[in-house]
Amino acid sequence: MTGAHASWDEGSPERLYVITGGRSGGAAVTLDLVTLIVSRSAPQPGMQPEQAAILRMCQYPLSIAEISAYLRLPFSAAAVLVADLIADRRVEARAPVMATSLPDPELLKAVMYGLSKL
Amino acid sequence: MGFPSSEAPAEPRAQDALAPSVNTAVKIVIVGGFGVGKTTMVGAVSEIRPLTTEETMTQAGVGVDDLAGVEQKTATTVAMDFGRISLSDQLVLYLFGTPGQERFWFLWDGLFQGALGAVVLIDTRRLAASFDVLGQLEERGVPFIVAINAFPDSPAHPVSQLRTALDLPESVPIVNCDARSRASSRDVLLSLMRYLFTLTTTPVPEPL
Ligand SMILES: Nc1nc2c(ncn2[C@@H]2O[C@H](COP(=O)(O)OP(=O)(O)OP(=O)(O)O)[C@@H](O)[C@H]2O)c(=O)[nH]1
Ligand SMILES: [Mg+2]
């Protein structure tokens, strides 16, 4: 995937998989720039400040790109914080639709319909 | 039009909240050379003030034929502007503006993975700056359209001439736009979507 001349830092979006839901078999979640995060719990006293901030700002769905921008952290650093919160089940991740080589026509229609109302 | 990132708030404003029911995000990438209008276009259609996310890459060495024992590491930080458009109570679109120069391509793996497609924003005063971008998108199999951003002193070329200069097949749309205009930028996105739609219904001829 990555070009021969480039190497990502640890925590690159490609390599970041989070194992969630241990007992029920678990599912691997890949964290993308546009993975939407929603809080499942309120910040606790003594939490790491950035993680508390994520729980506050994700009362409504928010992409990891937005979290990274508000926290002023590189995307990969924000994704690591989110990954820990997912593992602790403090937030829920809504995986984006990852378009394959050809996106789903129904999805494209929905996007066009939404854009035409702008 | 531009909002310096230093002004970015530390938390989203109440009016920037997405509906709780939003469960599907899609992304489109706007790519182009320096100063071609990427941030302007993102800002023109975004419902939030454009935000900035950064990524740092540590690049070790330069190639296999490096002198052994010479440890070289360079850190590159790239800022990407992005904006957001809520399309329905379930669907949200994110738009990322990313620089096209080769030294920023390390960003593209994560960025283009799962993206619906790309808009290549072009300034006719600096056509050659986009050759590498177009080649790289083709190599990666990312579907794209070309949008010509009209600057006052840009030479106006007929589309057919631009198509030849850019060596683009007839099937790839080339549209004119004013990145400052919301309607014009929206139309660019709609052109991309229509093109993607035709790709799902028409078999794509294999490149030679
Ligand atoms: N006349 C005219 N000016 C434009 C248009 N689009 C952008 N500009 C201006 O061109 C300048 C550069 O635009 P940006 O949106 O910052 O370009 P960019 O591609 O994000 O630039 P970098 O991020 O620095 O590579 C700004 O001063 C814009 O106001 C356009 O369609 N017409
Ligand atoms: Mg810019």
Side-chain angles (χ1 to χ4, degrees):
Chain A
M1 198 69 223
T2 308
H5 60 292
S7 69
W8 282 84
D9 279 347
E10 287 178 20
S12 95
E14 293 174 88
R15 296 218 198 103
L16 201 61
Y17 295 92
V18 189
I19 308 303
T20 57
R23 258 172 301 162
S24 57
V29 181
T30 310
L31 297 180
D32 188 85
L33 282 161
V34 299
T35 300
L36 296 174
I37 304 300
V38 191
S39 303
R40 282 178 157 180
S41 61
Q44 305 294 314
M47 275 185 85
Q48 199 193 345
E50 286 85 0
Q51 292 194 321
I54 293 172
L55 292 186
R56 272 197 306 276
M57 68 176 87
C58 292
Q59 286 169 32
Y60 295 94
L62 208 59
S63 66
I64 301 180
E66 284 163 297
I67 293 171
S68 131
Y70 289 122
L71 292 179
R72 290 177 200 157
L73 286 175
F75 168 74
S76 53
V80 168
L81 292 173
V82 166
D84 286 346
L85 290 170
I86 294 173
D88 292 346
R89 303 194 187 194
R90 290 178 175 278
V91 300
E92 168 196 327
R94 299 180 182 173
V97 175
M98 300 304 272
T100 46
S101 49
L102 285 182
D104 169 22
E106 291 307 314
L107 176 68
L108 294 175
K109 278 191 204 163
V111 175
M112 282 190 267
Y113 179 72
L115 283 173
S116 66
K117 290 192 303 182
L118 260 192
Chain B
M1 185 79 39
F3 302 102
S5 59
S6 56
E7 278 177 25
E11 299 207 348
R13 301 172 305 171
Q15 67 263 41
D16 290 342
L18 281 175
S21 52
V22 173
N23 55 19
T24 305
V26 291
K27 57 183 173 177
I28 289 175
V29 181
I30 297 173
V31 55
F34 177 71
V36 75
K38 303 177 294 291
T39 303
T40 305
M41 179 171 275
V42 168
V45 287
S46 178
E47 68 197 11
I48 55 169
R49 289 172 23 146
L51 294 168
T52 304
T53 179
E54 289 192 346
E55 197 48 276
T56 312
M57 181 199 61
T58 314
Q59 198 172 319
V62 185
V64 282
D65 48 10
D66 265 0
L67 291 175
V70 181
E71 181 72 9
Q72 301 181 321
K73 275 202 168 186
T74 50
T76 313
T77 303
V78 182
M80 279 194 297
D81 299 317
F82 66 98
R84 194 183 80 191
I85 305 171
S86 297
L87 296 171
S88 73
D89 56 3
Q90 298 196 358
L91 186 60
V92 62
L93 167 65
Y94 285 90
L95 284 178
F96 290 88
T98 194
Q101 295 91 318
E102 181 169 0
R103 65 181 186 279
F104 300 127
W105 290 351
F106 74 86
L107 270 180
W108 286 16
D109 290 325
L111 185 58
F112 282 106
Q113 202 169 22
L116 293 175
V119 172
V120 180
L121 204 52
I122 283 179
D123 177 349
T124 54
R125 294 169 300 182
R126 280 172 293 174
L127 265 195
S130 43
F131 293 165
D132 284 352
V133 170
L134 295 173
Q136 186 62 203
L137 290 176
E138 278 161 1
E139 202 166 294
R140 287 166 183 253
V142 177
F144 63 86
I145 68 165
V146 168
I148 310 292
N149 198 13
F151 289 88
D153 47 344
S154 302
H157 298 291
V159 163
S160 61
Q161 210 177 310
L162 287 172
R163 187 178 297 286
T164 308
L166 295 170
D167 194 20
L168 287 176
E170 281 298 324
S171 55
V172 175
I174 301 179
V175 298
N176 289 295
C177 73
D178 181 336
R180 297 164 301 177
S181 153
R182 183 181 176 91
S184 176
S185 297
R186 177 212 48 209
D187 289 345
V188 169
L189 299 179
L190 275 170
S191 298
L192 172 65
M193 300 313 298
R194 279 192 224 101
Y195 172 59
L196 296 175
F197 196 79
T198 62
L199 291 183
T200 64
T201 53
T202 335
V204 191
E206 282 296 312
L208 295 178

